[in-house]
Amino acid sequence: MRRFARATCIDELLIKAVNRTTMLDAYRPHLHQQWNEGCHDTAQLHREITVLGFTGDIQSDLTDEDALALKEIRAGCPELDAVTDHVRYFAEMMRDLTGYRLPQWMERVEQDPLPALHSLVNGLRRDQNAVIAGLSSPWSS
């Protein structure tokens, strides 16, 4: 959190985090095994690790203090705020299998000064029909 709060530009925020521990670390082997055996139901996976002792919610719930800090960080960095919104929207398309929303998403991305996402949009446009199909099918990888 401190790194985000002290950042003066987006490049400082994009540094890869290494050796970061999470509350899921102890359950990763089980999750990987279940996933590799074909269980891709997040609710089921959550129930299983809860039985094993996981105390987190199925959503990544933040403490009130962390939520406030994140809100302040996003308010202080319009680029990060825009990227966050675009990534969440794209993740919703993937989760909800609503690939038909891709053109609208690409237009919104292009309205923001985000060169890295513009590059992604240009790549998606090269095979847009296949991308839409992939975002619409439960059988897509």
Side-chain angles (χ1 to χ4, degrees):
M1 277 292 198
R2 288 187 190 103
R3 178 170 58 94
F4 286 89
R6 294 180 185 146
T8 59
C9 67
I10 189 79
D11 293 332
E12 291 178 33
L13 301 175
L14 298 178
I15 298 170
K16 184 177 180 181
V18 293
N19 298 327
R20 177 183 277 171
T21 59
T22 72
M23 59 191 301
L24 278 175
D25 287 346
Y27 308 96
R28 286 185 192 278
H30 178 80
L31 292 171
H32 284 285
Q33 177 184 352
Q34 294 303 97
W35 186 271
N36 291 335
E37 291 177 3
C39 180
H40 299 168
D41 181 339
T42 54
Q44 175 63 33
L45 293 170
H46 179 258
R47 284 190 296 273
E48 290 178 15
I49 62 173
T50 298
V51 170
L52 297 174
F54 180 71
T55 58
D57 194 336
I58 194 164
Q59 300 292 325
S60 300
D61 292 335
L62 298 176
T63 65
D64 290 343
E65 181 181 332
D66 287 343
L68 179 60
L70 181 58
K71 184 177 182 179
E72 290 172 359
I73 291 166
R74 288 184 65 181
C77 184
E79 294 89 359
L80 178 63
D81 191 47
V83 167
T84 301
D85 287 341
H86 292 310
V87 169
R88 283 185 176 160
Y89 190 92
F90 193 88
E92 288 173 12
M93 283 190 297
M94 290 174 46
R95 183 194 64 225
D96 299 339
L97 304 177
T98 54
Y100 67 88
R101 295 177 5 195
L102 181 67
Q104 173 191 358
W105 178 83
M106 292 190 298
E107 289 173 14
R108 286 183 36 222
V109 167
E110 291 175 328
Q111 292 173 8
D112 288 324
L114 303 166
L117 284 184
H118 291 179
S119 177
L120 172 64
V121 166
N122 290 336
L124 295 174
R125 283 196 194 285
R126 284 193 287 271
D127 204 4
Q128 186 170 329
N129 289 338
V131 175
I132 290 172
L135 290 171
S136 302
S137 170
W139 305 110
S140 173
S141 62

